[in-house]
Amino acid sequence: MSDDNKVTHFGYQQVPWQEKQQKVAGVFRSVAGKYDVMNDLISMGSHRILKRMTIELAGIRPGHKVLDLAGGTGDLAIKFSRLVGETGQVVLADINDAMLDVGRDRLFDAGCSHNTQVTQVNGECLPFEDNSFHCITIAFGLRNITDKDAALRSMLRVLKPGGRLLVLEFSTPTNKHLAKAYDAYSFAVWPKLGKLIVNDPDSYQYLAESIRMHPDQDTLQGMMDNAGFARTEYFNMIGGIVALHRGFKF
Amino acid sequence: MNLKDQSRSPGLLSTTALATVERAINTALRSDPASAERLAIHAGRLIAIEATLPPVAIYGLIVEDGVELYHRSDATPDVAVKGSPMDLASLLLNWKTRPGMIGGPVDISGNRDFLQELQQIANDLQIDWGAILEPITGSELAQQLDYSARRLFGWAKQAASRLTEQLGDYVGNESGLIPHRRDVYEFGQDVDELRMDVDRLDARIQRLRSRSSSSSSSSLQDSGSAPH
């Protein structure tokens, strides 16, 4: 099938391959200003704990170079900036300019501008040299990338040998009762909160749908293996609602 | 950190607990800007605190606006302290205990000046409960609560110091349940001395043996070469 005829999912909709990026951009442009508030509300604050756990598994030391991909409003990048110290460097990268604007301001306010860079990039074709980073993190971002395999290959290319990738993403609950409760909560409550806080229920309907279309834990681990990552593993969090995948480049 | 540690799944509850402690420390620091300023001078420095029982490690990274706590870190800490939770608490919070009475000594490695400064900041920290509670309760009630909290925490700190001191006295001197550190030290010295004596004796026996075997072989050679 030629690229012109290829389709992909945008939530439960099927859309032309080239359109997904624009549609996702529209979602994030709409919610950028209140993205963190909404995250706190829909996750009941748990996203902060999950990000802490990601940082703990990142193994970052002073002097490291870290890429926070789809880093949006920069909450991971701020922590990384402090961990890598004066001799290290953090690149906050996102495809969405509105999210990066918020992230840039937050990095500046947190006193992290001295060792951070803010860059607008497409995760499928990262504009960095081979073997550039000790660690790459992508938190709640891989789901929105159209060609995930290309993105994983691109991340592998820019990782240094010995470097690691951490993918924090919504996944598939391991318990069917939890899955039912989670479905009810996310489809019933998230769009209403979206309407109330950012006057955009559709973006949060998309969020709930896109999570169900995202590969489950084992499938994503297989995709990382296929991309060339070694020693891949995942950690289920909150009963598999979120999973943290990790892989190394050797 | 070894590979086994790296593959351990991070615990949701322990991470939440650590985040809560971090939040409490930073809230306390925000209410005492002088202490926060003294701490901020050390931004970028890392302290490792390792409790022996239960085995828990906490890494504290000093940042411009407070501290960040982690369960693991691959960075080399500026100072590392290791000991029982009680001994660590008495060291870091400057409780007045008799040295070595509660448990073993605390192992300290790295920059002791930095540790001393942290101890001093912890000791001098004056939490302004009024400022913390004012947005919730209003200023009048906040002032009352601040006064009560200061009295309560002052009392609790004194009580903790008295309790550990008396517990140390009782366990070390009166009950005889654990030996005094001095006794343990002297016992260790005696054992070392005995071991060195045994080593010397062993060396002497070896020397005598080799001497006797060489003299017996030379006497045999002498007797073998004698004319019949």
Side-chain angles (χ1 to χ4, degrees):
Chain A
M1 192 185 284
S2 73
D3 277 1
D4 290 345
N5 299 327
K6 269 171 93 174
V7 290
T8 186
H9 53 82
F10 175 73
Y12 289 160
Q13 296 172 44
Q14 292 291 307
V15 296
W17 186 265
Q18 299 86 344
E19 271 185 27
K20 176 167 175 175
Q21 212 175 79
Q22 288 306 313
K23 283 182 167 287
V24 171
V27 166
F28 283 94
R29 227 169 254 130
S30 160
V31 301
K34 293 194 172 161
Y35 182 76
D36 289 333
V37 177
M38 279 302 292
N39 274 354
D40 279 336
L41 281 172
I42 65 173
S43 74
M44 294 185 265
S46 64
H47 76 105
R48 292 173 188 274
I49 302 297
L50 302 176
K51 285 174 183 165
R52 282 183 80 101
M53 291 158 89
T54 307
I55 292 164
E56 297 223 346
L57 283 173
I60 289 169
R61 289 203 295 270
H64 273 190
K65 197 171 172 190
V66 182
L67 171 63
D68 180 18
L69 190 56
T73 54
D75 41 3
L76 277 178
I78 290 170
K79 298 271 187 190
F80 289 146
S81 158
R82 289 162 171 182
L83 288 167
V84 301
E86 300 295 325
T87 53
Q89 194 186 31
V90 178
V91 177
L92 169 64
D94 203 299
I95 196 167
N96 192 288
D97 57 332
M99 295 288 281
L100 280 177
D101 282 346
V102 179
R104 186 187 292 110
D105 288 349
R106 285 192 61 199
L107 284 169
F108 193 79
D109 290 346
C112 300
S113 53
H114 61 292
N115 64 353
T116 52
Q117 282 182 1
V118 179
T119 318
Q120 189 170 12
V121 302
N122 181 345
E124 294 167 15
C125 43
L126 293 168
F128 304 109
E129 286 184 13
D130 295 1
N131 310 321
S132 297
F133 297 97
H134 294 91
C135 178
I136 300 176
T137 56
I138 176 163
F140 303 110
L142 188 65
R143 193 183 68 253
N144 298 312
I145 293 180
T146 312
D147 191 345
K148 295 174 184 60
D149 293 312
L152 289 170
R153 285 194 300 273
S154 185
M155 290 178 221
L156 185 76
R157 180 182 64 76
V158 301
L159 261 185
K160 284 177 188 282
R164 63 184 80 184
L165 166 70
L166 290 149
V167 180
L168 182 68
E169 191 52 271
F170 290 105
S171 203
T172 307
T174 50
N175 177 296
K176 64 178 181 183
H177 300 296
L178 176 66
K180 274 186 185 168
Y182 174 54
D183 278 350
Y185 171 67
S186 50
F187 280 104
V189 178
W190 291 1
K192 286 194 176 70
L193 284 173
K195 167 83 180 148
L196 195 70
I197 308 292
V198 289
N199 196 26
D200 181 4
D202 295 342
S203 291
Y204 286 88
Q205 180 70 29
Y206 161 72
L207 172 64
E209 290 176 5
S210 68
I211 290 166
R212 273 70 186 179
M213 301 305 290
H214 186 65
D216 66 12
Q217 289 88 330
D218 291 326
T219 309
L220 181 54
Q221 188 180 9
M223 288 165 71
M224 288 172 70
D225 289 334
N226 289 340
F229 285 96
R231 270 181 49 211
T232 57
E233 60 187 333
Y234 63 81
F235 306 100
N236 279 326
M237 297 165 169
I238 324 178
I241 288 177
V242 173
L244 176 62
H245 283 72
R246 183 169 64 172
F248 291 81
K249 176 177 177 178
F250 290 123
Chain B
M1 189 183 290
N2 61 34
L3 289 178
K4 196 178 157 204
D5 286 338
Q6 291 211 355
S7 286
R8 211 184 303 143
S9 167
L12 192 66
L13 284 179
S14 59
T15 308
T16 308
L18 201 62
T20 309
V21 173
E22 179 187 296
R23 206 181 169 87
I25 294 172
N26 288 332
T27 305
L29 282 169
R30 270 197 297 277
S31 77
D32 183 0
S35 295
E37 213 167 291
R38 279 168 65 195
L39 188 66
I41 294 168
H42 301 283
R45 285 184 163 173
L46 184 71
I47 177 174
I49 302 166
E50 193 179 337
T52 47
L53 194 73
V56 178
I58 294 173
Y59 295 84
L61 177 71
I62 314 297
V63 293
E64 277 83 359
D65 51 0
V67 291
E68 290 181 357
L69 301 180
Y70 299 98
H71 278 304
R72 55 186 92 189
S73 170
D74 284 16
T76 309
D78 292 277
V79 65
V81 291
K82 182 179 179 181
S84 73
M86 283 293 275
D87 284 324
L88 288 172
S90 67
L91 174 82
L92 297 172
L93 303 175
N94 211 14
W95 291 350
K96 289 189 181 77
T97 58
R98 282 168 183 265
M101 280 299 195
I102 298 296
V106 174
D107 289 335
I108 302 170
S109 56
N111 186 343
R112 283 164 186 265
D113 291 342
F114 171 44
L115 180 65
Q116 216 161 17
E117 178 64 12
L118 289 182
Q119 280 176 292
Q120 204 56 53
I121 292 168
N123 204 37
D124 296 345
L125 187 65
Q126 295 288 326
I127 301 172
D128 186 354
W129 294 99
I132 295 169
L133 296 170
E134 193 177 338
I136 307 163
T137 62
S139 62
E140 254 179 58
L141 186 57
Q143 271 181 10
Q144 293 292 326
L145 289 168
D146 180 38
Y147 176 69
S148 307
R150 276 173 203 273
R151 282 187 60 185
L152 179 70
F153 280 92
W155 174 84
K157 198 173 173 183
Q158 279 177 7
S161 289
R162 272 202 307 272
L163 182 69
T164 48
E165 201 170 348
Q166 286 167 4
L167 194 66
D169 269 346
Y170 173 75
V171 175
N173 295 337
E174 291 180 31
S175 72
L177 283 172
I178 58 165
H180 192 279
R181 184 190 284 183
R182 182 81 213 159
D183 297 336
V184 174
Y185 177 74
E186 283 176 1
F187 177 70
Q189 294 279 81
D190 289 346
V191 170
D192 281 347
E193 213 166 293
L194 183 65
R195 197 186 60 235
M196 284 190 290
D197 285 348
V198 170
D199 288 347
R200 274 196 290 270
L201 193 61
D202 186 46
R204 180 173 287 184
I205 290 168
Q206 293 299 330
R207 206 167 53 243
L208 287 171
R209 269 193 187 148
S210 63
R211 196 181 290 170
S212 76
S213 65
S214 66
S215 65
S216 65
S217 65
S218 66
S219 65
L220 271 174
Q221 278 178 355
D222 288 349
S223 62
S225 63
H228 290 284

